[in-house]
Amino acid sequence: MKDQILHTLQDLRAYALQKGVEASFFYHEEDSYLMRFANSAISLNTNERLIRLEITAHKDRQRASYELITALDKLDEMQRGVDIAAEMVQHAQPLSYQPTIPVYTESFSDESAYDPALATLSNEERLAFFNRVAAGLETDAIQLSGIFSCGANILAQINTRSEHTQYFKTSDAQITIVLSHTALKWEVSAEQSAQQKADLNPDVLRRDLVFLVEHYQHDTPQQLPLGTYDIVFGPSAIADLLDFMGFIGYNGGLMKRGFSFLNEDQVGQRVLSSKFTLTDDPTRRETFPFQRDMMGIARQPFPVFANGVFEGFVWSQDEADEFGAQPTGHTVMHNSIVMQGGDVAASTLQELVAMPRENDVLYIPYLHYMNVVNPSKGLITGSSRFGALLLKKDGSVVVPYNVRLTQSLLDIFGDKVAWLSQAQVVVNASSSYGARNPRAIIVPALLQVNGLEISHSNPSY
Amino acid sequence: MGVLGGFGPELFDKAFDNARVAAERVTFPVRLAEKDAIQASFTSPNQIDPFTVPLADKLAFMQAMDAKLNQPGVFQRICQLTFTRKQIVFMDSEGSEIEKTIVEVFPSIQVAGLDAQGQMHSRTYQPPRMGDTRGWETLDMEVFSENAERIVREMNEVLAADDCPKDVRSVILLPGIMFLQTHETIGHALELDRILGYELAFAGGSFVRLSDFGALRYGSEKLTARADATIPNSPGSFGYDDDGIPAQNNLLIDKGLLVGAITGRQMVEEANARANKVIFDGSSGANRATSFYRVPIERMTNINIDPGDDGTLDDIVSHTERGIILDGDKSWSIGSNREQFHFATDIGWLVEDGQVTRVVKNSTYQGETVPFYNSLSAVGDASTWEVQYTPNCGKGQPNQIMQLGHGVPVCRFDNVRIGE
């Protein structure tokens, strides 16, 4: 299959050259399997095998793209796509900068993050995983939801500047399990990411769900008073916050557009907590990494923050071209973000609950529907979901209704940081929008931030 | 299931295996509400198919739009014309054969600038649907020119403005944000699959319960909302849904009382069975799929608010003691059961004693859905009513993008927290 893909790209390159078209080809193939659960049933069990081809025609500063869903034996259809892109580029308004077309000096192939055993898990194996996690936890009132998504992803590239190709193949799985009460409407969840089959561990998910269900089933929920709280974020919440930092923080192009809470004067300055170290680390295979970016640049670990000091913006090639910066190997579908752990041994919810504490602590494992309120201030908003707990200083545990946080990332990751777990957790951050793009963020298992304000508190679930 | 490269035996083998294993976990056997077998076709109304317009003409139109935006203070300008054509052939074993051709034009312009603190602010114009068609002929350069001048002026006013105060005030929502308020806290909240828990793994549920239909006072008596898939000029009108059900115009909220939902054939059967009574008399014709490889699910059609009898925007403002007029969908975040929300808007105008006083930037408002709609104190007349479109509503796992619309008037809500 790999040879067939690369031969097809070579044929398309030859066709473009013959037509006198400067073109780039981006091939994406996914073999996706999704088992979806709702109301304790399998509500959808589907698979999709799709090939997408994006053809970009270039003419000096003009650029135009055409994308189609196709099949490898439909070369005529792909060639028509080249013709269409070539026609479109004639009419494209020139960019204000000269875009770079990469010249690959050698062919590159990376299948190191591909495990066929994970990519082709059977229906029975996926169902067995769910059944094992949920065994004994479902009742007439407590229902199971979730997804088991797994598959394989292939990316391949060529352009008319050189005959060399780039080829990437990965396997991934994303598991989300939700238990919810049909009448009371509470919901708790557990998540897992896998790059290879050996990463799958249903017992870890089950451990967390058993603990949360026990509290949510038997404790009386409370509406929290508005005010400031010491908050411990769980892995999903931390990863989501870091995702937004990648969007409105250290992205060079967005900074230049005034859509960032960081600026160039802050490079080399301490901006965040000295406990905060963030790296884009493509050596971590759990992040489904790109060892090379789409421009053929070899990717190395790239420090973003070191002990709170801002080390620099990341620049994709196109943004670097536009703003006169140096590209940093970040022309990729996703980065490999790793947040360093701290010095606290507690890494599970159970261990957190058992920790002695001087104040009440609000545990928020997940932030729902986060969005940017004001990028220049790093201000984001989102609501707690999926198993928040108020850990009282007397050792008792209270189930709270969901709350809203509207806070600056500068505060969340700034001097209000109290501690981080030593242990790290892999959080699968893939979405099912558009083409499959498995990605994961590695974060400390727990992060405590003191004195954050809750801006809204629900009176019910 | 979607597999490229034709319909071979392997496709059916995989589908059968998927179904075989899915059958091991069934809690409510799939039953579909009754329907008539229909042989029909639907074509969205267009005078000029945009796909017949030469590319050079389209680009010339965009460049003319862009030229209107190239004004002092503008740091970045975006002009967008999106054209879509869907050809759908629907057949089922119940005897339906329906062919649909749906063509849409989605235009928008946006300007952005940097204020003295380096913060970016933007203003967008997405023209409401006008006339009875959806084709190339709906693009009116005169309308774009007027609104380009307006959004540049308003953006520059925002750049020079103070921050929105933290306060509790009446909020007057123009259609440019009221459509999204409606979308997020009426539309999604009333999708029956969400209500029944079919979206809990990701998107969330709904605060609405089956027992709420006919009983819940969702809003004040000024609130009447409907799912109307029959208005001709909106992407939420599609002739027949992807279950083969004809488009309908159904009340969702009648003078504040919850009476209906956005439904498809499977969910209404399950809801009625769970409630042990007939809540929904058949499908409301709202099941749609984003593409051939995704299953139809409950999607909004045109979720509209009926115009009221509180006059024009000026009339509403003149009867507002302390308020803020808001417009533009800058940011939105909604609780997982659609029970509460936080919105940020592109622009705000403070209102004091019935007069607009000044522009403010970084405007936000937040609230709880049911108390918020029960605080609805004024609904503009038909002169304020606009059909706004949503070209990219996302829902489901795997995700599906859908096009729909919202016909909404200017609305005023009281005692709302702003500026947080």
Side-chain angles (χ1 to χ4, degrees), chain A residues 206-233:
Chain A
R206 180 175 173 77
R207 176 199 67 197
D208 291 346
L209 287 170
V210 166
F211 185 86
L212 285 167
V213 167
E214 175 64 22
H215 281 285
Y216 270 71
Q217 196 171 10
H218 297 116
D219 296 355
T220 303
Q222 294 182 12
Q223 181 181 16
L224 297 184
L226 296 182
T228 59
Y229 287 80
D230 295 346
I231 296 178
V232 172
F233 293 105

Side-chain angles (χ1 to χ4, degrees), chain A residues 339-355:
Chain A
M339 180 176 166
Q340 188 174 297
D343 57 6
V344 169
S347 64
T348 67
L349 177 55
Q350 293 84 340
E351 290 166 351
L352 172 68
V353 171
M355 281 176 70

Side-chain angles (χ1 to χ4, degrees), chain A residues 266-316:
Chain A
Q266 290 173 306
V267 176
Q269 305 293 314
R270 192 170 83 78
V271 177
L272 298 175
S273 165
S274 60
K275 297 181 175 67
F276 185 74
T277 293
L278 194 74
T279 307
D280 173 28
D281 188 353
T283 67
R284 297 293 295 264
R285 60 106 190 147
E286 308 100 304
T287 63
F288 317 103
F290 288 97
Q291 311 284 351
R292 298 227 179 163
D293 80 350
M294 302 296 107
M295 308 304 290
I297 299 175
R299 280 167 45 77
Q300 307 293 335
F302 181 93
V304 183
F305 286 92
N307 303 116
V309 175
F310 181 44
E311 298 289 322
F313 292 95
V314 302
W315 290 95
S316 68

Side-chain angles (χ1 to χ4, degrees), chain B residues 39-51 84-89 98-104 132-135 137 229-241 247:
Chain B
Q39 292 80 42
S41 64
F42 174 81
T43 302
S44 59
N46 300 285
Q47 290 174 12
I48 303 170
D49 181 346
F51 289 90
T84 65
R85 178 173 56 214
K86 288 187 180 181
Q87 290 178 291
I88 302 170
V89 177
I98 299 169
E99 195 163 349
K100 294 185 284 186
T101 303
I102 300 173
V103 175
E104 300 287 350
D132 289 333
T133 64
R134 310 184 202 174
E137 69 282 356
T230 67
I231 56 177
N233 61 2
S234 175
S237 300
F238 37 81
Y240 305 85
D241 77 357

Side-chain angles (χ1 to χ4, degrees), chain B residues 203-241:
Chain B
S206 173
F207 66 89
V208 172
R209 301 164 190 269
L210 292 177
S211 57
D212 288 335
F213 290 94
L216 175 66
R217 183 143 289 285
Y218 206 106
S220 76
E221 290 206 347
K222 290 180 178 289
L223 178 66
T224 292
R226 63 185 66 243
D228 184 356
T230 67
I231 56 177
N233 61 2
S234 175
S237 300
F238 37 81
Y240 305 85
D241 77 357

Side-chain angles (χ1 to χ4, degrees), chain A residues 18 113 116 128 281 364 388 391:
Chain A
Q18 176 203 331
D281 188 353
I364 295 180
L391 312 177

Side-chain angles (χ1 to χ4, degrees), chain A residues 48 124 183 185 369 385 458, chain B residues 20 206 209 294 333 339:
Chain A
E48 298 174 358
E124 283 81 2
K185 292 191 183 265
Y369 213 135
R385 190 184 175 194
N458 278 5
Chain B
R20 178 184 60 77
S206 173
R209 301 164 190 269
R294 299 274 156 91
S333 174
E339 77 287 3

Side-chain angles (χ1 to χ4, degrees), chain A residues 84-97:
Chain A
I84 292 169
E87 164 65 12
M88 290 168 68
V89 80
Q90 303 297 326
H91 302 281
Q93 188 161 314
L95 298 165
S96 60
Y97 57 93

